[in-house]
Structure formats: structure tokens, C-alpha cells
Amino acid sequence: MTEHQKTAKESALHNLEAVAALVAADRPLLITDADEVLFAFMAAFERHLDDHGTYFNWASYRLNGNIIARADEQPVGNHQVKALISGFFDVHTRNIEPLDGAADAMAALVAERGLQIVVLSNVPAQRHSDRQWALARHGMDYPLIANEGAKGAAVALLAARTSAPVFFIDDAPSHHDDVAEHAGHVRRIHYVGNPRLAKLIGPAPASHLRARSWNEIRRFIEDHLDEAAA
Ligand SMILES: [Mg+2]
């Protein structure tokens, strides 16, 4: 494959329709978030904040207002929060660590249950190839969509491609609300890899399961597929 073909292929994969076209009509589908579901976002982001003389104060589940400058112990402005986040993705999308159990659980579900997997991540579009590289490096080389904002519309479009069960995993309760609204039949799993963040985020009322591990996620998917086949 030439460099040009490679670039063209990568940019095609940015495209939701292009990934949707890969979804087979008769196989179950898992649509999974990446940060805090496949990758240890918070651990890496806290190190990034420390590198920039700031820290997260864990007061609530939002970044605006909760990132504090060590110099004056004051929250940094929202524009600076935005710069810290985009700087994080620029520097750390490739070297972020995976979460325990994710790659193995997904590989088993693919091999044993014919699951197809799409990663739906709100990573900036210009970092798509970095994230795909990190997924491949850690044994999770599934098609990636760099999404922006709410996820309900993208999930509805992907889910419509198959008549088999569809599952969605995300750490953010707001995405569960939106998916419930746009694709109500999708089974929704709330999972937050970082235990401290899990406590801070609390429940996602629009989800069907609050999972504590990838083993639990795998069992839930297997049980549901068994029920659907019965
Ligand atoms: Mg996330």
C-alpha cells in the first residue's frame, strides 16, 4: 500500500458512513468508547496536568472549574482547560496505557461469539491515526470513529446496520441519555475504568448495567446473546 493510499484509507475511516458500511447485518455489534473504557485516560491526564503546573481537584465530574494552577491555587480559565485537553491528545494519544482486561474480553467475544466491534471516541479528528495506532499496539485494532459531542445519532446509524443485538459502553452518563433517546433498543453498559472517577461520576440512570470490570461486561454480553438466541 502506498503512503497516499494509506492516508486515503485513514481519512475514509474518519467517516461514520464508511465504518457503518463495514458492519455485517447478521452479527452482534459492540460500540465502545475509548477514554476510561479501553484506555486509562484520567491517570494519564493527571500526569499531563502535573507537567503543566496544574492538578485536578476531584470536586465534581467536570474539567471546567476543577483544574487548579499550583502557582496561585486558583482554577484555570475555560480556554486554558481546552488548551490542556487538546495538548494532552496531541502528546499522549499514542502512549496512553490500556485498561486491564479490555483487549482480552473483546478478543474472546469476537472469537467465540462473532461480535463485531466499533470504537466510537470523542478523540479530536486530527488524532484519529494516533488513536488507531494505540488501539493496534494494545491488541484492539477495531475500526475507529472520531466523534464530536453527543453519540446518539452515530450509535443509531451503526445499530441500524444489524438485526442482531447491539451493545454500547461509555463512562459518561450524558452519552447514555442520548443513546437511550436515539437508539433505545441498544443495550447500554456504564463502565468507568478509574475507580476514583467511577465514584465521582456516580450512576448513569439510562444504562442497563453498571459494570465494575471487563469480565462483568463480557458476562453481560454473553448472557444477553444467549437470551436472544433462546
Ligand atoms: Mg470516555
Side-chain angles (χ1 to χ4, degrees):
M1 202 185 287
T2 66
E3 270 313 298
H4 177 75
Q5 284 170 323
K6 231 175 112 186
T7 310
K9 192 184 164 213
E10 276 169 5
S11 67
L13 281 179
H14 287 205
N15 186 287
L16 172 62
E17 280 80 9
V19 173
L22 302 173
V23 175
D26 55 350
R27 284 168 56 198
L29 173 66
L30 168 63
I31 302 163
T32 180
D33 180 34
D35 286 306
E36 250 0 291
V37 175
L38 307 180
F39 292 118
F41 169 80
M42 207 55 199
F45 189 60
E46 283 202 285
R47 285 193 293 274
H48 177 74
L49 292 178
D50 192 50
D51 290 344
H52 290 81
T54 57
Y55 67 93
F56 182 58
N57 69 1
W58 294 91
S60 68
Y61 171 52
R62 55 199 288 273
L63 295 175
N64 284 335
N66 289 331
I67 295 176
I68 310 298
R70 292 197 191 280
D72 59 5
E73 290 296 328
Q74 295 300 309
V76 305
N78 291 0
H79 63 285
Q80 206 180 333
V81 172
K82 220 174 148 188
L84 283 163
I85 295 168
S86 78
F88 171 81
F89 282 112
D90 287 347
V91 178
H92 296 293
T93 302
R94 284 167 76 95
N95 64 24
I96 191 168
E97 289 296 321
L99 284 165
D100 282 348
D104 288 349
M106 289 192 293
L109 287 164
V110 170
E112 295 166 19
R113 300 303 187 114
L115 197 76
Q116 38 192 350
I117 297 175
V118 169
V119 180
L120 181 63
S121 167
N122 279 5
V123 69
Q126 66 271 24
R127 298 275 77 86
H128 181 281
S129 60
D130 285 351
R131 173 132 288 175
Q132 191 77 67
W133 186 91
L135 287 166
R137 180 188 176 192
H138 297 293
M140 303 185 283
D141 196 8
Y142 305 108
L144 166 69
I145 296 162
N147 184 66
E148 219 184 311
K151 293 188 174 179
V155 169
L157 192 142
L158 292 164
R161 301 277 310 174
T162 180
S163 55
V166 182
F167 304 89
F168 172 75
I169 313 174
D170 209 289
D171 62 312
S174 62
H175 291 316
H176 287 274
D177 294 339
D178 198 51
V179 170
E181 191 180 317
H182 287 87
H185 69 293
V186 170
R187 305 299 292 178
R188 298 177 296 277
I189 300 164
H190 187 212
Y191 178 59
V192 188
N194 182 304
R196 192 175 180 193
L197 191 65
K199 231 172 154 181
L200 191 66
I201 288 178
S207 67
H208 298 98
L209 171 75
R210 175 72 184 256
R212 259 107 199 145
S213 70
W214 264 95
N215 273 339
E216 207 181 327
I217 292 170
R218 180 180 164 186
R219 274 199 306 275
F220 178 84
I221 291 174
E222 287 173 344
D223 288 351
H224 191 77
L225 292 177
D226 287 344
E227 273 169 40

